[in-house]
Amino acid sequence: MPKIENPLLVSLYSYYVDNILSGTTNIDEANQKLRDLGYEIGRQIYLNTEIVEKTKESVTTREDVAKLIEVVFKILYDKRPADVDMKTARGSVRISDHSCVWCQDVNLEGMRGFGYCEVFSGILESILEVKGVDARVFQEQSRATGASMCVWNVRLV
Amino acid sequence: MSKDLERALSKLRFDDQVLGYSLMTKIGRPFVSFAFPDELFPRIKDSIKLYKADLRLMTIDTEKGLVVLSPVDENWILTVLYVPELQLGLAIAKTKNVLRLLEGIELPPPPEDFEDSSEMNIQVLESIAIKAASVVPSPVVVPPPEESKPAPEVPSKPAKKLSSKDFNITPITVPERGSEYANSLLLDSALYNEMKVLYRNFGFDVLMLVDGNNSVEKIADSMFQPIDRIIDLLKWTASQGIIDVPILDESPKFVAAGTSIGKYVKCPMFDGDTSKVSNEDIQLIRLCDGNLTPEQIAEKLNLPIPKVVQTIAKYRKAGLKMIGRTV
């Protein structure tokens, strides 16, 4: 049995996910609702944490965005992302995490396309918005649905 | 030219099932390569020599994987190494897919002297092309760069045309090629351009796998893409007559359903050593096959739910997992 980090958060989040899944009929909609949740709490996070002190006032380049993401990771998870990839695709930044907090010990079957950890997309999107960056964030793959790691894509608009 | 070439080749580079590739001259000298094992070159050269001008699409089964050779034009041969477990048909389809992208690009003949497999060679090729044309290539509207990831905006607005909602596509649907199929794959057709605007090269990739045998699920599997995204695209192509799929029944509840998911449940599944399970629990643990919810197990054994939860929790260390799924 894997040791769960932050069981309170994981239990609360899984409760929320269960609720969303029982209230929606479609995976895109469920993903969007999780992003919405993240978007709502993103502002709270920005108000309550040191992200504001540790980041530049205005974020303009992709390098700035990558730096901001690292700060967010440090403050929320106390670690660094496994990878912040700016090279593979133009106009977007891809973040990967081998041990994502949100989907610890979650095993989903046959739910391809469902981003279990989409909440983080919303969080990032709203923090980026506060910093004046117009971006769409979505989860590309999640360990919950069998991937080897969780990957988010930050698409700069 | 070099941009288009790079884009076509990058399709291979970001394909998980591609181990390496090499663009070779007609005598089998590697010109531009990516992660292609050197020890395979002599063997490929021999095969090319054997066929000379008659070379069509050829596959070689090597210990490293499946090699697909295909002539691009009279001067060039594209060689791709796929993972050994990839089906032959898919490997060929993938190769053809890239060949089609190369079709629109005029590749000049290779320079007489070059360094094997050098990254700089693409630029060399470009300068030849420019010299050959002796004019600066006219500015072409370059489509947005191909990226190997799902576009977020596509799923969010499914089906621009109303008519695409009239098709019923599920993961087990087997789409067939429709009357506009061939037309949609022509690089200069209006349909191709429309698809490109809407779906980029994703549309192309999916259509390559539509052959009347592959189900939607299989296509999604081989492309490592979410089923929803494939269905979304297929519905659009169905509305354009590119593919043939069953038409939806006129019952309104299905129209609203879209990519519907069933009821979400979490079912315990025991995947460990049953000898570690004590006799009093074995009956319950045997029911933990990933198909029954704790509530259903409680009902079957006529036990209170808290008792079931307690027992399940006890065996988490021994390999019991909770599997989430929709039923």
Side-chain angles (χ1 to χ4, degrees):
Chain A
M1 175 164 59
K3 182 155 169 29
I4 300 231
E5 215 179 288
N6 208 337
L8 261 185
L9 169 90
V10 171
S11 308
L12 264 176
Y13 185 58
S14 96
Y15 174 77
Y16 199 93
V17 173
D18 289 5
N19 261 346
I20 283 185
L21 285 174
S22 58
T24 50
T25 51
N26 148 343
I27 284 198
D28 290 339
E29 196 182 322
N31 287 343
Q32 187 56 46
K33 287 206 168 157
L34 291 177
R35 281 195 290 268
D36 291 347
L37 166 71
Y39 188 83
E40 301 281 329
I41 57 182
R43 287 208 182 145
Q44 286 299 327
I45 290 173
Y46 193 74
L47 288 170
N48 294 335
T49 61
E50 289 178 312
I51 292 173
V52 61
E53 279 104 45
K54 298 209 166 149
T55 49
K56 288 207 228 168
E57 195 139 301
S58 82
V59 167
T60 45
T61 63
R62 278 204 300 164
E63 285 70 21
D64 287 350
V65 171
K67 185 86 193 80
L68 174 74
I69 290 167
E70 289 193 352
V71 171
V72 171
F73 253 75
K74 178 80 190 142
I75 285 175
L76 295 186
Y77 311 137
D78 196 21
K79 65 173 179 184
R80 295 171 61 88
D83 185 30
V84 177
D85 173 10
M86 294 186 284
K87 289 192 208 90
T88 315
R90 239 181 284 163
S92 71
V93 179
R94 215 184 247 144
I95 314 137
S96 36
D97 188 350
H98 293 299
S99 53
C100 159
V101 176
W102 305 96
C103 60
Q104 294 171 80
D105 201 27
V106 174
N107 305 284
L108 301 179
E109 266 181 13
M111 293 178 66
R112 208 197 305 251
F114 178 55
Y116 191 91
C117 334
E118 282 281 17
V119 64
F120 184 60
S121 308
I123 293 176
L124 265 189
E125 205 170 295
S126 90
I127 292 176
L128 284 167
E129 190 187 74
V130 174
K131 291 290 188 187
V133 181
D134 193 5
R136 295 280 88 79
V137 188
F138 63 98
Q139 185 165 29
E140 275 185 6
Q141 54 182 58
S142 165
R143 275 161 52 104
T145 43
S148 59
M149 58 184 168
C150 294
V151 177
W152 293 267
N153 191 325
V154 181
R155 182 180 284 244
L156 304 170
V157 182
Chain B
M1 193 285 305
S2 76
K3 274 275 160 310
D4 287 341
L5 178 62
E6 276 184 280
R7 196 155 51 83
L9 293 180
S10 74
K11 197 170 213 57
L12 291 168
R13 192 177 286 222
F14 297 126
D15 189 326
D16 290 342
Q17 290 168 324
V18 172
L19 296 176
Y21 63 79
S22 178
L23 185 66
M24 296 177 155
T25 65
K26 63 179 169 189
I27 55 157
R29 262 187 88 186
F31 189 68
V32 183
S33 302
F34 172 71
F36 201 91
D38 286 338
E39 59 267 38
L40 288 181
F41 284 131
R43 194 156 157 202
I44 287 160
K45 207 167 171 176
D46 286 346
S47 308
I48 291 175
K49 222 183 264 165
L50 205 62
Y51 286 89
K52 288 203 184 92
D54 288 335
L55 180 75
R56 310 284 281 276
L57 206 67
M58 175 164 73
T59 58
I60 310 173
D61 207 9
T62 71
E63 64 284 355
K64 297 269 174 196
L66 187 64
V67 175
V68 180
L69 291 181
S70 50
V72 179
D73 57 25
E74 54 189 6
N75 295 311
W76 296 102
I77 295 170
L78 180 67
T79 308
V80 188
L81 175 66
Y82 291 98
V83 290
E85 58 273 17
L86 187 67
Q87 279 177 26
L88 190 60
L90 283 177
I92 292 174
K94 277 172 184 282
T95 310
K96 283 193 172 165
N97 193 355
V98 176
L99 281 184
R100 269 174 212 272
L101 285 176
L102 289 172
E103 253 170 30
I105 311 169
E106 250 179 71
L107 291 176
E112 278 168 26
D113 191 34
F114 64 86
E115 193 189 334
D116 283 3
S117 305
S118 164
E119 278 285 325
M120 296 304 291
N121 279 343
I122 289 190
Q123 276 75 38
V124 173
L125 207 57
E126 178 167 50
S127 60
I128 299 174
I130 292 173
K131 228 180 275 168
S134 65
V135 284
V136 183
S138 59
V140 192
V141 185
V142 180
E146 158 69 0
E147 285 150 18
S148 58
K149 60 186 165 52
E153 59 273 19
V154 175
S156 61
K157 40 177 174 182
K160 277 197 166 178
K161 299 196 184 251
L162 257 172
S163 51
S164 34
K165 286 186 181 157
D166 299 338
F167 296 94
N168 182 19
I169 303 181
T170 65
I172 52 160
T173 305
V174 177
E176 310 230 358
R177 294 178 179 181
S179 54
E180 292 293 316
Y181 182 83
N183 187 18
S184 72
L185 295 186
L186 291 177
L187 290 179
D188 48 1
S189 70
L191 208 49
Y192 175 84
N193 286 323
E194 196 178 343
M195 181 164 75
K196 182 121 187 169
V197 169
L198 285 170
Y199 297 100
R200 311 235 200 120
N201 288 338
F202 178 63
F204 201 98
D205 294 353
V206 174
L207 288 180
M208 290 306 297
L209 293 170
V210 171
D211 59 1
N213 293 318
N214 286 333
S215 66
V216 173
E217 202 167 18
K218 221 167 160 188
I219 294 174
D221 270 341
S222 57
M223 293 182 64
F224 292 107
Q225 290 288 341
I227 287 183
D228 292 358
R229 197 167 169 234
I230 309 267
I231 290 181
D232 180 49
L233 169 87
L234 288 180
K235 284 190 175 175
W236 179 80
T237 54
S239 73
Q240 305 293 321
I242 300 170
I243 62 159
D244 287 335
V245 289
I247 289 176
L248 192 71
D249 294 334
E250 280 307 305
S251 52
K253 65 175 180 194
F254 280 114
V255 178
T259 51
S260 68
I261 50 176
K263 186 178 179 297
Y264 177 66
V265 292
K266 282 183 182 166
C267 308
M269 185 171 83
F270 186 71
D271 187 20
D273 186 356
T274 39
S275 67
K276 290 201 177 119
V277 181
S278 73
N279 280 338
E280 54 187 288
D281 296 331
I282 190 80
Q283 199 188 0
L284 192 154
I285 293 300
R286 283 224 176 94
L287 289 174
C288 296
D289 59 356
N291 293 316
L292 296 171
T293 64
E295 288 76 12
Q296 286 167 321
I297 293 175
E299 204 174 302
K300 269 191 190 267
L301 296 177
N302 208 7
L303 286 171
I305 292 176
K307 171 73 188 150
V308 174
V309 173
Q310 190 190 26
T311 310
I312 291 172
K314 210 161 75 186
Y315 288 98
R316 299 258 294 159
K317 278 202 182 84
L320 192 137
K321 281 198 256 177
M322 294 299 277
I323 307 285
R325 58 147 53 104
T326 50
V327 286

